[in-house]
Amino acid sequence: MDEFQTGEETAFVVDEVSTIIKESVEAAIGGNTYQHSRVNQWTTNVVEMCLSQLSKLGKPFKYIVTCIIMQKNGAGLQTASSCFWDNSTDGSCTVRWENKSMYCIVSVFGLAI
Amino acid sequence: MEEYHPGDEVAFNPDEASNSVKECIEGIIGGVDYSQNKVNQWTATIVEHSLTQLVKQGKPFKYIVNCAVMQKSGAGLHTASSCYWDTTTDGSCTVRWENRTMYCVVSVFAVAVAL
């Protein structure tokens, strides 16, 4: 009984997701300078845009998108994540972006249903 | 055929996870000052310990634990996350901790496994 063929369409494709993230970040904060009053809106926009593009892919995945925006000021920032999942089907992708006044780090985690 | 009754044991308990994570953070960076050479090791240890504690609870979840440690120097930091999942079974919790020289933000995301 051939019901569901697991192939490329159901694996987490890092390159595709990476492109989606980069486009979303560029569109949301592309030419802007860090502004305390607007950064709240920016992080929200970045995650929402990424998530809507990802769900449009129509794959059987649950997604978690996180975004960090940090002002360039000389401070040190270190992030790490650890995941307990199914290695054969789940995956993640992290994109680091920066401009003259800020850093933006976006991570997408995709978990197969 | 009565096999499995979904009840309290299979919902994500954010308070329990939050306490577990706070203890891990305290244990690892409790009384120390920000140090650039050690921070790499701290974040890795925090996520591993937190994950181990969560998995020990034995619930049918996949977990993602994220940790960010930032030096206190006046810079602004903003984080956001958005999740596309099953809101009845999945959940998350975020713990914000600080001491004199650094901030630590740990997020736990739990996604139910279909049995």
Side-chain angles (χ1 to χ4, degrees):
Chain A
M1 183 171 72
D2 268 355
E3 227 170 49
F4 196 63
Q5 296 235 317
T6 46
E8 279 164 22
E9 323 96 55
T10 56
F12 185 79
V13 182
V14 176
D15 295 330
E16 194 175 36
V17 173
S18 177
T19 309
I20 288 175
I21 298 174
K22 283 176 193 155
E23 286 171 7
S24 303
V25 172
E26 269 298 328
I29 57 176
N32 296 316
T33 307
Y34 182 88
Q35 262 176 273
H36 179 69
S37 53
R38 295 181 68 191
V39 72
N40 199 357
Q41 190 59 46
W42 289 340
T43 45
T44 307
N45 290 350
V46 170
V47 295
E48 280 177 4
M49 286 172 75
C50 285
L51 205 52
S52 63
Q53 291 297 105
L54 289 164
S55 52
K56 276 186 196 162
L57 295 173
K59 298 188 177 182
F61 278 96
K62 291 181 178 179
Y63 295 104
I64 291 162
V65 182
T66 65
C67 168
I68 295 176
I69 292 182
M70 185 171 92
Q71 189 179 16
K72 275 190 176 179
N73 168 333
L77 174 74
Q78 179 80 22
T79 71
S81 37
S82 192
C83 311
F84 180 73
W85 59 24
D86 182 340
N87 272 336
S88 53
T89 54
D90 306 331
S92 71
C93 166
T94 301
V95 171
R96 286 161 211 77
W97 180 98
E98 67 179 279
N99 68 9
K100 270 201 319 155
S101 58
M102 55 187 169
Y103 296 105
C104 178
I105 301 170
V106 179
S107 295
V108 172
F109 302 91
L111 298 113
I113 295 175
Chain B
M1 180 172 72
E2 282 185 337
E3 234 174 42
Y4 194 66
H5 285 285
D8 283 340
E9 327 97 53
V10 288
F12 177 63
N13 188 338
D15 296 325
E16 203 180 334
S18 176
N19 287 336
S20 194
V21 167
K22 277 179 197 154
E23 284 171 15
C24 287
I25 298 174
E26 271 295 330
I28 294 160
I29 53 175
V32 295
D33 285 345
Y34 181 86
S35 154
Q36 196 186 351
N37 4 345
K38 292 197 185 153
V39 69
N40 200 357
Q41 204 183 325
W42 291 336
T43 46
T45 314
I46 290 172
V47 292
E48 279 170 27
H49 282 201
S50 301
L51 195 56
T52 310
Q53 292 299 104
L54 289 163
V55 170
K56 269 190 196 162
Q57 290 171 10
K59 299 187 180 181
F61 281 101
K62 291 179 177 180
Y63 296 101
I64 290 163
V65 181
N66 204 46
C67 167
V69 173
M70 185 172 92
Q71 189 179 17
K72 275 191 177 180
S73 84
L77 175 76
H78 220 270
T79 73
S81 55
S82 192
C83 311
Y84 182 72
W85 59 24
D86 182 341
T87 50
T88 54
T89 54
D90 307 330
S92 70
C93 92
T94 302
V95 173
R96 286 163 209 74
W97 181 97
E98 66 180 280
N99 70 8
R100 237 174 20 110
T101 54
M102 54 187 168
Y103 296 105
C104 177
V105 181
V106 178
S107 297
V108 175
F109 300 93
V111 173
V113 177
L115 289 161

